[in-house]
Amino acid sequence: MGTEINRRRLLGGAMGVAAGATFLGTGAPFLTATDAAAASRTTAGPGASGAAPTSGGARTSPLWREFRARPYTHPQIPYVARAGFLGGRTHFPRLPVVANVRDYGARPDGSTDAAPAINRAIAAAGRRGGGTVLVPPGTYRVDDVIRLGYDNVVLRGAGSGRTTLHATRSLTELIGPYGSRYGGDKSSWSWAGGLIWICPDARWSSLTDAIRAQAWPFEGWTGNKRDEWHTLTDLAAPARRGDWTVTVEDPSALRRDDRVLFQLADDDTHSLLRHMAGDVEGAADYVWADKTKLTSYVPYEWPCRVVSVDRWRRRVTLDRPLPLDARAAWKPRFTTLVRPVTGSGVEGITLDVVETPQSQHLLDKGYNGVALQCAWDCWVDDVTVNNVDNGFLLVAAKACTLRRTRVTGRGSHHPYCCREGSHDNLVEDFVLAQRTVPAPAGTSLHGINVEGLSSYNVWSRGRMEMGTFDTHRGMPFANVRTEITVDNTGAHGGDASAGPLYGARFTHWNVTVSNQRAGCVKVDDIAPYSATVGISEVRQFGQIDVPDFTGPLHSRIESYGHPEAVHPRNLYEAQRAIG
């Protein structure tokens, strides 16, 4: 209760400062409190900010000017310019057509199960080395999971308004009950698996075999027991967040274009977890030892691609800057990982699930949409999922793009979910539609979710007619939500054992909140080293998010109450423009 009262006082002070800034000058105010503790005594109106006006009347953000001066190491704003498929490529490849599901027996009138035919066509394309599998206009009944487990295979419909896969069965029916590896009576289908599932064949088989054996697996980059890896080389010298090149002990096992894992292990003092929280003062007093779900996510695993190897100087250059410092105490190393699926996608399809009542919270049966798991440089474009338990799931996914996606129908638990060490993904031009039936009692709605030490992910240009910015504990860090309109009606989730809601460098940039609810959107008084820039004026009601760390958070808030005035409008696209 004391924490909540303190938070409300801080929020009230910050809102009072915003009002003062508006009164003191014309145009959009720039509130530049450097942390929540100082919010009540720091003011900065347009004149104080030194912001330069733009041709449209908006003012260039001071934080943006700071970021441009140090894009890889800014304390509050993460570098996300390379999020998404192949570093943010705007066009997906048009692979040659190598199969048509009609030729494999799929019927477009919904009269028979088309899943075997579709999966045979996908397998044939995979054996040929890749290509496009066409699903012509029509409605195809599917009574099984549609699996994309090969590289460079695209399942392409005629458009989400013309090609429909009508799914009739849940993952519980098709694979079996899926309990939680953390115990209890929860169903892991509440956050895992899809009726369209992009996952390498070997990994999919190992996961589903373990589920059927009730040996609940880890779901990420290093196998069911997190032991399917070996060290390629250790780092020979410490490195800093933002470095593109590191020095290694022995580069002989590394080659250009290798896909590897960068791993960091924690020490007995949990200094790695504290670093993920921005090394704020309060992280030193936070109790980490009993956060067993959070500590199960460590070692931190960040997939990266080798760009070049200088064997003489033992220098390795990566495709992205390091996401964290690499201190000797954390045993930084490059390791192998399970072979991911790469270069595959789903396009132009509606996945319409047989309508059933939404399950009680955490007991989902697995009427899930599209899952991307151990997928790297894959994509989903022009895809709608309807009447799902969970919509689009990024599970140990890397550098994937979801574009022009929609979640519609009777309401879902996690419309968008990003978890289990998912990094550098992009979700853009997305819609979370208002549910078509009232929410049954005992159900839960989150929204756009991120958790499980996932980092450097972006949600851009979205319309959320319900839900919230669900940061689901597990201390994700360095994620961006930008140019989004939200009717803020959902709630965050997450077990207490999963630890803090936020790590450092969360940025909410140009967010219009249609119902004035602050929770999970205005984060300057809750997320360490965060940036809240250009959001609507909001107020507290129905709040459940409270700070995890005491003391100053070193957060920033700017252009509060004026999303229309912030420039640049879209943080991700602006970063892309400067490279």
Side-chain angles (χ1 to χ4, degrees), residues 230-246:
H230 64 268
T231 299
L232 297 169
T233 185
D234 297 314
L235 266 62
R240 299 296 300 273
R241 175 173 66 92
D243 289 349
W244 294 70
T245 299
V246 297

Side-chain angles (χ1 to χ4, degrees), residues 119-307:
N119 284 327
R120 285 195 301 269
I122 291 170
R127 288 192 296 268
R128 294 184 55 165
T132 295
V133 175
L134 283 184
V135 189
T139 296
Y140 300 81
R141 196 184 90 212
V142 291
D143 301 340
D144 202 351
V145 177
I146 303 302
R147 296 169 46 201
L148 281 87
Y150 297 87
D151 293 346
N152 304 314
V153 174
V154 179
L155 184 68
R156 182 187 301 155
S160 59
R162 301 182 65 203
T163 295
T164 296
L165 304 184
H166 179 65
T168 63
R169 304 175 71 191
S170 70
L171 294 168
T172 298
E173 296 172 274
L174 296 170
I175 297 171
Y178 187 3
S180 169
R181 67 177 185 254
Y182 301 105
D185 60 356
K186 303 170 185 174
S187 167
S188 286
W189 296 129
S190 299
W191 53 76
L195 293 170
I196 299 176
W197 202 332
I198 303 175
C199 182
D201 269 1
R203 188 75 182 102
W204 191 86
S205 295
S206 71
L207 286 165
T208 53
D209 286 349
I211 293 165
R212 290 186 175 104
Q214 299 188 2
W216 314 130
F218 283 89
E219 302 155 275
W221 297 103
T222 51
N224 291 351
K225 297 182 179 180
R226 296 199 73 185
D227 59 358
E228 296 176 33
W229 59 272
H230 64 268
T231 299
L232 297 169
T233 185
D234 297 314
L235 266 62
R240 299 296 300 273
R241 175 173 66 92
D243 289 349
W244 294 70
T245 299
V246 297
T247 303
V248 300
E249 294 282 359
D250 179 5
S252 62
L254 298 175
R255 300 288 184 275
R256 180 179 178 181
D257 289 329
D258 279 354
R259 296 176 187 261
V260 298
L261 274 186
F262 172 68
Q263 282 199 20
L264 295 173
D266 207 358
D267 59 19
D268 292 340
T269 69
H270 297 294
S271 61
L272 174 60
L273 293 175
R274 299 202 311 267
H275 178 56
M276 292 174 178
D279 292 307
V280 292
E281 293 88 328
D285 299 326
Y286 184 81
V287 178
W288 300 96
D290 64 351
K291 307 303 185 293
T292 52
K293 187 172 183 178
L294 174 64
T295 54
S296 76
Y297 297 137
V298 179
Y300 172 72
E301 298 167 342
W302 180 66
C304 53
R305 185 171 57 82
V306 174
V307 172

